């Protein structure tokens, strides 16, 4: 046999990248020096990397065992090939120097020093395969040198560190081969013309323009596998797929998004995955298939489009003995038709066909990106596949003409003999095999399917010999080292330990699957509403006096008075379905009932749409999950418990999302990397507080509800508490359960529709302070919430915009009227210069000073009083008086006098107060006209938004005094009579409204 020329060996050593070859075999590298990398030596067992590879020299050297040599030596020693076999392999592989990235982070970038200059293309053979391999290598190098192309892959979620090198992905750029200086010989030369004609014949260049066929495309080669069913395809570039990445460039205007070589569609991408799997995922496009691959599902192949399932695909599936195919085509009309055609071919060939059901109009890549967690989302989609044959499952005879509709079945689990084991109280797993006992610890910590790091001890009960070590059971090298050491320690045959170690791995996988199933079962699913409950909920939503029924139902649930606060809180909770929800802060002194008010509102909201915490840390919001808070209610018991998270809450309320860059550990390499965490809104916030001084930034983002703390309200609460001890009170508890379920079901029926206000241009609002810019938005959102609550009483209209249909409902005058009433009482207090409790004390002091002045026959200015005098006269607590008197003193409503050793106060305020709150600047509902073309003007004395108002006139009106809407003066008999006489019957049957 002829010897291989030394010149040929030297050329292979020079042109083949040792680092790339080692990486393709699964070795992980880290930077050792500016021009070298280190990995665990494949030639001996070690825990610390000592094998150093120098790409520039093409040499390796292990400082542990002394192994060294070139790329040819590495191939021979790691695979057991002969010199001739290794040379043949390296020739076929066509790996160029500097073609890989050695970054441990999940990045697609390549170290600058490892990139070699691109060689010129040359025509080396007659059939064009060598030239095609050079083109693939050129595109691959272009991708490694193009941050924009790498960023495109990252945006599509294709950011696995081994993806580019494993599948030799490339990028053609906007000029490709034809426009790259130095790659092709001059077109004026005979060699240049010949080479261009050759490339045009292969389809790489356009015949007419001699421009690159794949310009502006991500290029993905389909290479025949070495163990393919078609021996003639081995190692050959069978097809190139191009995916356009820059469709907005003028040069690419009108160009197709998907491109192939003009040669026949041959070969199967990722055919190597079929060798070890009886089940395969079949995608419509390579982008979708690579999405599955990056998410950890390696048994995936791709068709050439929805109608591109070829004879090669079917032949390869049969050759490798695949029993089950999960068809993951796009969820659109074309994808469904293509999936049906593929299923017919598969079923006729005796291969099971199952359909992966993505949400409508989504493909695998879009679904993975929208989910925020591709691994779990795609895994769940694979668990919920549907059978595409006749009958309830596999076993029937199939044909093209009798494809049945998919039935809601899941893939049956493969029948595997269970490995019997014991689990101790502490969670250890025990497996007995003859005289040996295997003990496994730490298996519960493995939450990622690709990792199985455990502590394993094997003990011989006869000789008491044992071996214990910590290892990753999914690492072949770890297992082999453990098996060898355990066999030596126990004096047992290696084959026996190897077989038992395999049973331990199977046992661990079964335990992990069981834990996953339990987690899935415990995960709350969507709530289904029965037909009877839906009918009752619709009757409630169609009730003409819906707002009054809500107030009555909340009262029947155990809250006395507080009608305005309850209705406002309920409407704010409804706003969670809007794009910019409201936020509510309930403020009162301790034990006044703020928590009861919040619980009453939240109790009528669906459990799956509200999240309640007692406190939150500063970073906790950023790690809740991207969609965990979207269109939900976030309720926190005390504002004090959210001080650390106040900044994040403010951002979430203003911007609608949170982003943070945080340091985490790469699960594969263990090195620290920077990751971005994102939490999407919108979210409705509900807080309570006892503090008088609340963060101004948080305060002006919220509607502030203040609890009625009057003596009359306390008497009414006492009356209700006594009533709960009676038989009628016991029946009221049962009624509360019915009302809670009724309102929760009604809330589940509400759709997140858009709300249009045809009267918006006529509305007016106060504009003398900058903070009214946010209060005005609260007012408008309150109107939207009222309209959204009444959506089943409104016509759902549709409008087409830029090819999309938008559904919306319109605001009516009654919505604005109710919003104005609530705004007068809620925003009127919010815009006051002092808290409501302080305002109330000021009014009581004014009345009490007048009484003292009349008794003493002096002017009010002459009256001085101490804190003891106020306590005795008003029955207020000393702590409350300290806080509120200090606030009035600071705001110069009181003056402080020193009389010897004691201090007395004097009143400086004699303003008038009518006991009513009022928000000036709102338009009378009677003045509202539906015509939007009407001249927009404000009512007399009311400032338009953006206009200028007289602060001297507005200030007295802003001095809202007293608390309106709180049940004042309610006697015990009145409360009991109201509860006993409440009518709980639902509205008569009504037709379900058809939207659109």
């Amino acid at each position: 046999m002829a010897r291989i020329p030394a010149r040929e060996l030297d050329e292979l050593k020079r042109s083949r990248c040792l680092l790339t070859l080692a990486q393709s075999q699964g070795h992980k590298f880290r930077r050792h020096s500016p021009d070298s990398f280190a990995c665990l030596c494949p030639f001996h067992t070690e825990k610390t990397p000592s094998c150093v590879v120098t790409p520039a020299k093409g040499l390796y050297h292990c400082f542990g065992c002394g192994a060294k040599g070139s790329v040819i030596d590495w191939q021979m020693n790691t695979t057991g090939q002969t010199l001739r076999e290794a040379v043949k392999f390296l020739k076929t592989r066509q790996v160029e120097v500097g073609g890989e990235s050695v970054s441990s982070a999940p990045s697609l970038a390549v170290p600058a020093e490892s990139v070699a200059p691109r060689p010129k293309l040359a025509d080396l053979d007659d059939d064009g395969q060598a030239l095609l391999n050079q083109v693939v290598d050129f595109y691959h190098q272009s991708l490694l040198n193009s941050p924009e192309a790498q960023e495109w892959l990252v945006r599509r979620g294709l950011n696995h560190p081994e993806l580019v090198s494993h599948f030799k992905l490339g990028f053609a750029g906007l000029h490709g081969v034809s426009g790259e200086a130095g790659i092709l010989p001059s077109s004026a030369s005979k060699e240049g013309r010949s080479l261009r004609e050759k490339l045009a014949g292969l389809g790489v260049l356009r015949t007419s323009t001699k421009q690159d066929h794949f310009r502006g495309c991500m290029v993905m080669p389909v290479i025949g596998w070495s163990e393919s069913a078609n021996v003639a395809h081995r190692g050959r570039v069978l097809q190139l797929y191009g995916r356009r990445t820059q469709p907005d460039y003028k040069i690419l205007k009108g160009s197709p998004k998907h491109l192939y070589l003009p040669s026949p569609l041959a070969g199967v991408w990722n055919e190597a995955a079929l060798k070890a799997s009886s089940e395969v995922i079949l995608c419509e496009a390579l982008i979708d298939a690579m999405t599955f691959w990056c998410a950890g599902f390696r048994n995936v192949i791709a068709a050439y489009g929805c109608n591109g399932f070829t004879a090669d695909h079917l032949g390869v599936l049969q050759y490798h003995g695949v029993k089950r195919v999960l068809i993951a085509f796009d969820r659109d009309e074309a994808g469904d038709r293509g999936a049906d055609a593929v299923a017919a071919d598969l079923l006729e060939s005796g291969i099971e066909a199952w359909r992966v059901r993505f949400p409508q109009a989504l493909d695998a890549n879009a679904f993975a990106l929208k989910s925020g967690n591709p691994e779990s989302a795609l895994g769940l989609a694979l668990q919920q596949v549907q059978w595409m044959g006749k009958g309830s499952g596999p076993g029937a005879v199939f044909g093209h003409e009798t494809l049945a509709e998919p039935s809601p079945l899941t893939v049956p689990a493969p029948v595997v003999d269970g490995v019997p084991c014991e689990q101790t109280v502490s969670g250890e797993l025990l497996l007995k095999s003859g005289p040996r006992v295997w003990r496994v610890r730490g298996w519960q910590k493995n939450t990622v399917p690709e990792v199985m790091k455990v502590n394993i001890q094997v003990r011989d009960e006869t000789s008491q010999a044992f071996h214990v070590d910590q290892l990753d059971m999914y690492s072949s090298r770890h297992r082999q080292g453990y098996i060898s050491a355990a066999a030596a320690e126990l004096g047992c045959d290696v084959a026996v330990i190897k077989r038992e170690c395999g049973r331990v791995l199977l046992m661990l996988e079964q335990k992990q699957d069981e834990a996953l199933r339990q987690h899935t079962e415990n995960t709350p699913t969507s709530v289904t509403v029965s037909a009877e409950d839906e009918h009752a909920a619709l009757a409630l939503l169609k009730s003409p006096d819906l707002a009054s029924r809500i107030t009555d139902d909340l009262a029947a649930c155990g809250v006395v008075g507080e009608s305005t606060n309850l209705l406002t809180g309920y409407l704010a909770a409804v706003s969670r379905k809007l794009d910019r929800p409201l936020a509510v802060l309930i403020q009162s002194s301790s034990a006044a009932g703020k928590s009861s008010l919040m619980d009453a509102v939240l109790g009528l909201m669906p459990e799956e749409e509200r999240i309640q915490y007692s406190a939150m840390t500063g970073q906790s919001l950023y790690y809740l999950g991207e969609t965990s808070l979207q269109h939900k209610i976030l309720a926190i018991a005390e504002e004090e418990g959210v001080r650390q998270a106040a900044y994040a809450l403010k951002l979430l309320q203003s911007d609608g999302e949170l982003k943070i860059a945080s340091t985490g550990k790469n699960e594969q390499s263990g090195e620290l990397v920077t990751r971005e965490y994102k939490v999407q809104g919108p979210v409705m916030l509900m807080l309570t507080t006892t503090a008088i001084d609340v963060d101004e930034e948080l305060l002006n983002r919220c509607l502030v509800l203040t609890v009625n703390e009057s003596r009359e309200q306390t008497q009414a609460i006492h009356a209700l508490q006594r009533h709960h001890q009676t038989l009628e009170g016991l029946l009221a508890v049962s009624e509360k359960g019915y009302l809670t379920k009724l309102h929760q079901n009604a809330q589940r029926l509400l759709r997140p529709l858009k709300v249009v206000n045809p009267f918006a241009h006529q509305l007016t609002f106060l504009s003398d302070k900058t903070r009214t810019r946010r209060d005005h938005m609260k007012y408008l959102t309150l109107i939207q919430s009222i309209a959204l609550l009444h959506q089943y009483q409104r016509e759902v209209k549709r409008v087409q915009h830029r090819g999309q249909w938008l559904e919306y409902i319109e605001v009516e005058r009654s919505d604005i009227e109710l919003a104005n009433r609530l705004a007068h009482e809620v925003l009127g207090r919010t815009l006051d210069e002092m808290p409501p409790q302080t305002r109330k004390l000021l009014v009581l002091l004014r009345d009490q000073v007048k009484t003292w002045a009349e008794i003493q026959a002096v002017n009010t200015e002459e009256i001085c009083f101490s804190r003891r005098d106020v306590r005795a006269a008003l029955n207020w607590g000393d702590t409350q008086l300290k806080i509120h008197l200090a606030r009035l003193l600071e705001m110069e409503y009181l003056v402080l006098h020193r009389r010897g050793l004691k201090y007395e106060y004097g009143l400086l305020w004699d303003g008038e107060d009518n006991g009513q709150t009022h928000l000036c600047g709102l338009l009378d509902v009677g003045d509202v006209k539906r015509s939007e073309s009407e001249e927009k003007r404000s009512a007399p004395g009311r400032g338009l938004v953006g206009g200028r108002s007289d602060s001297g006139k507005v200030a007295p009106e802003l001095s809202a005094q007293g608390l309106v809407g709180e049940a004042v003066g309610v006697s015990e008999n009145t409360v009991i009579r109201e509860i006993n006489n409440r009518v709980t019957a639902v509205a008569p049957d009504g037709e379900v409204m058809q939207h659109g």
Side-chain angles (χ1 to χ4, degrees):
M1 183 177 294
R3 295 182 57 187
I4 301 174
R7 178 178 54 80
E8 186 175 343
L9 296 178
D10 293 339
E11 175 63 21
L12 280 177
K13 294 176 184 179
R14 184 189 63 80
S15 61
R16 302 303 184 261
C17 179
L18 172 58
L19 184 61
T20 301
L21 177 64
Q23 281 185 308
S24 67
Q25 294 175 350
H27 300 287
K28 306 297 181 183
F29 286 86
R30 61 175 177 82
R31 181 74 66 178
H32 179 260
S33 70
D35 59 351
S36 62
F37 303 89
C39 71
L40 294 172
C41 182
F43 310 115
H44 76 284
T45 303
E46 62 178 357
K47 294 184 178 180
T48 303
S50 63
C51 184
V52 177
V53 173
T54 307
K57 298 179 181 179
L59 299 175
Y60 70 90
H61 181 215
C62 177
F63 292 93
C65 66
K68 59 183 178 179
S70 65
V71 64
I72 299 177
D73 300 314
W74 178 281
Q75 178 65 20
M76 293 169 58
N77 294 331
T78 55
T79 63
Q81 293 177 344
T82 64
L83 175 62
R84 191 168 297 278
E85 291 172 338
V87 169
K88 183 178 179 181
F89 173 83
L90 292 175
K91 280 184 178 180
T92 306
R93 186 171 177 80
Q94 289 288 332
V95 178
E96 295 183 4
V97 177
E100 294 301 327
S101 167
V102 193
S103 172
S104 59
S107 170
L108 300 177
V110 63
E113 62 268 26
S114 67
V115 177
R118 298 190 181 106
K120 286 188 176 182
L121 299 185
D123 187 4
L124 301 178
D125 59 359
D126 294 331
D127 64 353
Q129 272 301 305
L131 190 56
L132 270 180
N133 275 289
Q134 292 178 75
V135 171
V136 169
D137 291 337
F138 165 74
Y139 288 154
H140 182 61
Q141 290 295 321
S142 297
L143 173 58
L144 296 178
N145 295 329
S146 172
E148 295 82 4
Q150 297 171 25
E151 178 61 27
W152 185 86
L153 288 174
V154 172
R155 288 199 306 269
R156 300 303 296 261
L158 307 177
N159 54 357
H160 194 281
E162 298 177 4
L163 176 69
V164 172
S165 60
H166 188 77
F167 293 110
K168 207 65 177 295
L169 303 188
F171 179 62
L174 289 177
H175 301 288
V177 176
S178 60
E180 192 72 20
I183 296 302
L184 287 175
S186 172
S187 58
S189 66
K190 181 178 180 181
E191 181 187 2
R193 290 193 300 271
S194 173
L195 192 55
R196 282 172 172 78
E197 290 177 1
K198 188 81 170 183
L199 290 171
L202 294 173
V204 176
L205 297 183
R206 302 276 174 88
T207 306
S208 57
T209 61
K210 292 297 187 291
Q211 290 183 338
D212 200 299
H213 179 64
F214 293 105
R215 57 186 179 142
C217 289
M218 194 69 60
V219 181
M220 305 153 202
V222 178
I223 300 175
W225 193 41
S226 59
E227 296 188 24
S228 171
N230 191 336
V231 179
H233 286 176
R234 293 179 181 175
R236 296 174 62 85
V237 178
L238 303 177
Q239 187 54 257
L240 293 181
Y241 164 67
R243 175 62 165 83
R244 193 78 68 190
T245 62
Q246 301 288 347
D248 53 339
Y249 273 80
K250 292 182 180 180
I251 191 172
L252 303 177
K253 187 175 182 181
S255 299
K257 188 183 294 185
H258 308 276
L259 295 173
Y260 296 97
L261 288 177
S263 58
L265 298 176
V268 177
W269 178 86
N270 196 29
E271 182 188 340
L274 304 182
K275 182 180 179 182
S277 178
S278 62
E279 177 180 281
V280 66
I281 305 164
L282 174 64
C283 294
E284 181 176 322
L286 278 174
I287 297 296
D288 298 330
M290 289 191 292
T291 302
F292 275 102
W293 194 91
C294 291
F297 304 97
R298 303 301 166 84
N299 56 323
V300 59
I301 60 175
Y304 296 106
C306 59
N307 300 316
F309 184 75
T310 65
D312 278 6
H313 288 94
L314 186 59
V316 163
L317 293 174
Q318 293 174 327
Y319 175 81
H320 291 287
V322 173
K323 298 179 180 178
R324 183 182 301 111
V325 175
L326 312 181
I327 305 173
F329 280 17
D330 301 356
R331 274 303 305 280
D332 53 24
E333 185 178 352
D336 291 339
R337 286 199 307 267
D340 291 340
V342 171
D345 291 335
L346 293 173
L347 296 171
E348 277 190 338
S349 302
I351 301 175
E352 297 176 16
W354 301 78
R355 181 73 161 106
V356 181
R357 308 282 288 185
F358 301 117
Q360 196 65 37
L362 290 184
D363 56 23
N365 184 257
F367 174 66
L369 290 176
K370 286 181 177 293
S371 69
N373 189 341
E375 292 86 353
S376 60
L378 293 176
L380 184 61
L382 293 177
Q383 291 177 10
Q384 297 176 346
V385 294
Q386 295 183 352
W387 172 242
M388 297 191 71
K390 283 200 316 183
S392 59
V397 179
F398 308 99
H400 276 78
E401 50 280 321
T402 55
L403 278 178
E405 291 295 325
S407 59
L409 299 174
T410 56
V411 177
V415 179
V416 180
D417 293 335
V419 179
C421 64
E422 299 177 12
Q423 184 170 345
T424 65
V425 178
S426 59
E428 298 176 346
L429 297 179
L430 300 178
L431 173 64
K432 293 186 177 181
S433 180
R436 288 169 298 281
V437 178
W438 294 74
R439 184 201 68 196
V440 183
R441 291 176 176 173
W443 61 275
Q444 302 95 331
K445 299 178 182 179
N446 298 302
T447 57
V448 181
E450 293 83 6
V451 179
M452 189 67 76
K453 292 183 178 179
V454 288
N455 178 285
I456 300 182
Q457 180 199 79
V458 55
R459 185 180 73 256
D460 192 319
E461 293 183 329
T462 304
S463 62
Q464 296 302 315
F466 71 93
H467 176 68
V468 62
D469 199 357
Q470 184 131 353
L471 70 154
D472 187 349
M473 287 292 285
Y474 281 153
S475 171
S476 175
R477 182 169 49 82
H478 287 191
R479 286 199 314 274
Q480 188 59 42
Y482 185 90
I483 291 169
S484 301
E489 289 286 348
L490 274 61
C492 187
D493 186 67
V494 174
V496 175
I497 300 297
K498 184 176 182 179
R499 183 173 60 252
E500 294 179 2
C501 188
R503 297 190 68 207
V504 171
L505 177 57
L506 183 59
M507 172 191 69
L508 288 172
E509 288 184 332
Q510 291 174 350
K511 284 293 183 180
Q512 192 177 55
D513 292 342
E514 181 181 341
L516 179 62
R517 283 195 302 271
Q518 291 178 354
H519 174 74
T520 303
E521 292 172 0
N522 295 332
T523 302
T525 56
S526 58
V527 179
T528 57
V529 181
S530 66
E532 182 180 355
D533 291 340
E534 181 179 353
H535 179 75
L538 281 173
L540 171 66
L541 293 173
K542 293 179 179 180
S543 176
D545 56 344
L546 179 56
S548 300
R549 285 198 60 180
I550 292 172
T551 304
D552 295 341
D553 291 348
L554 283 165
C557 289
V559 182
V560 178
E562 307 288 2
S563 59
T564 299
N565 288 340
L566 289 170
L567 182 56
T568 304
Y570 190 96
L571 292 171
V574 171
S575 73
R576 72 189 184 278
K577 294 184 177 293
L578 297 173
D579 294 333
R580 297 295 296 269
L582 293 166
V584 169
L585 177 66
I586 304 175
Q587 191 179 40
S588 75
S589 57
S590 180
K594 59 186 180 302
S595 297
S596 300
L597 196 154
M598 182 173 75
D599 293 341
V601 173
L602 293 178
L604 301 188
M605 300 296 127
E607 296 180 2
E608 68 274 12
E609 296 186 26
R610 65 176 192 257
I611 301 174
Q612 292 180 258
Y613 294 116
S614 300
M616 298 191 78
T617 62
Q619 298 291 310
S620 57
L621 271 174
Y622 294 97
Y623 303 100
L624 280 176
E626 186 166 354
T627 58
S628 299
L629 294 178
Q630 204 164 28
H631 293 294
K632 292 185 180 179
I633 303 170
L634 176 60
I636 305 174
E638 286 289 341
E639 184 265 342
E640 180 68 28
V642 79
R643 289 284 174 90
Q644 295 178 338
Y647 175 73
L649 283 175
K650 289 183 286 188
L651 285 181
L652 187 60
Q653 188 67 14
S654 298
D655 302 341
E657 67 175 9
L658 292 174
K659 283 185 180 180
I660 188 174
S662 180
T663 303
K665 184 173 287 188
N666 187 299
E667 296 169 354
Q668 296 178 339
S669 65
E671 296 187 7
L672 296 178
V673 294
T674 300
R675 293 179 176 173
E676 181 183 278
Y677 295 90
K678 185 177 181 181
V679 178
Q680 290 280 8
V683 59
M684 185 268 160
L685 300 177
M686 187 171 288
L687 314 171
T688 65
T689 183
T690 57
I692 297 298
D693 296 315
V694 182
D695 179 19
E696 184 68 21
E697 287 294 317
L698 184 62
L699 193 64
N700 60 31
R701 286 174 168 83
C702 300
L703 289 175
V704 181
L705 307 181
T706 54
V707 176
N708 187 352
E709 300 181 27
S710 66
R711 182 176 182 179
E712 292 80 1
Q713 175 72 1
T714 304
Q715 292 173 346
I717 292 174
H718 289 171
L720 180 63
Q721 290 171 344
R722 290 191 290 270
H723 176 71
H724 284 165
Q725 307 301 310
T726 65
L727 176 60
E728 291 82 0
L730 179 62
L731 298 178
V733 173
S734 176
E735 179 70 7
K736 177 182 178 181
Y738 166 77
L739 293 175
T740 299
K741 182 179 179 181
L742 175 65
H743 280 270
Q744 288 181 351
N745 290 334
Q747 289 293 315
R748 292 185 179 109
L749 295 180
L750 291 181
R751 298 171 58 198
L753 296 171
K754 303 294 182 183
V755 179
V756 173
N757 191 342
F759 313 104
H761 293 297
Q762 304 175 54
L763 299 178
T764 57
F765 199 79
L766 199 66
S767 57
D768 64 329
K769 299 178 181 178
T770 55
R771 69 157 294 169
T772 59
R773 299 175 184 180
R774 281 183 173 157
D775 290 302
H776 179 241
M777 199 62 228
K778 298 176 194 174
Y779 170 63
L780 296 178
T781 306
L782 188 61
I783 296 175
Q784 285 186 317
S785 298
I786 298 171
L788 188 67
L789 180 63
H790 291 80
Q791 63 179 253
Y792 284 92
Q793 303 178 30
R794 309 286 164 84
E795 177 188 359
V796 178
K797 300 183 177 181
R798 302 176 75 216
V799 62
Q800 189 175 19
H801 180 68
R802 295 187 181 276
Q804 293 186 346
W805 286 97
L806 302 177
E807 292 186 335
Y808 67 95
I809 57 175
E810 290 187 345
V811 172
E812 294 187 356
R813 289 186 181 86
S814 58
D815 303 333
I816 301 175
E817 184 177 4
L818 178 57
N820 283 355
R821 178 166 64 83
L822 297 175
H824 282 310
E825 301 187 23
V826 177
L827 290 177
R829 289 196 295 261
T830 302
L831 291 173
D832 197 356
E833 62 181 353
M834 64 180 69
Q837 298 91 336
T838 307
R839 170 68 64 183
K840 184 173 183 179
L841 176 61
L842 179 61
V843 174
L844 293 176
L845 282 177
R846 182 201 60 185
D847 297 339
Q848 188 61 44
V849 167
K850 286 182 180 179
T851 303
W852 283 333
E854 292 175 0
I855 294 174
Q856 299 178 28
V858 296
N859 294 328
T860 56
E861 294 83 359
E862 302 178 43
I863 297 296
C864 293
F865 51 89
S866 65
R867 201 162 65 232
R868 179 189 297 176
D869 297 333
V870 179
R871 278 202 313 270
L874 302 181
N875 294 319
W876 279 45
D878 190 58
T879 302
Q880 283 181 290
L881 283 179
K882 284 181 182 179
I883 296 173
H884 298 299
L885 288 176
R887 176 63 65 88
L888 291 174
L889 190 64
E890 179 184 352
M891 300 180 71
E892 299 181 353
Y893 284 88
L894 298 179
V895 63
L896 189 63
H897 304 285
R898 181 166 182 172
R899 304 289 174 86
L901 298 178
K902 60 182 291 188
Y903 291 93
E904 292 184 344
Y905 299 91
L907 183 64
L908 297 180
W909 182 71
D910 59 352
E912 294 297 325
D913 191 281
N914 58 6
Q916 300 291 321
T917 55
H918 180 72
L919 177 63
C920 60
L922 298 185
L923 184 67
D924 247 343
V925 178
D927 298 336
V928 173
K929 296 183 179 180
R930 190 170 186 83
S931 173
E932 298 186 31
S933 61
E934 180 191 37
E935 180 182 356
K936 301 170 181 62
R937 60 181 183 272
S938 64
R942 295 172 180 167
L944 282 171
V945 175
R948 180 181 300 173
S949 60
D950 189 344
S951 59
K953 294 179 181 179
V954 174
E957 296 183 51
L958 281 177
S959 301
Q961 300 156 9
L963 297 176
V964 178
E966 321 294 338
V968 178
V970 182
S971 66
E972 178 175 344
N973 292 333
T974 303
V975 174
I976 297 174
R977 185 168 59 255
E978 178 186 350
I979 296 174
N980 287 338
N981 294 337
R982 190 187 179 288
V983 179
T984 60
V986 299
D989 295 353
E991 237 181 36
V992 178
M993 180 177 181
Q994 292 187 357
H995 292 272

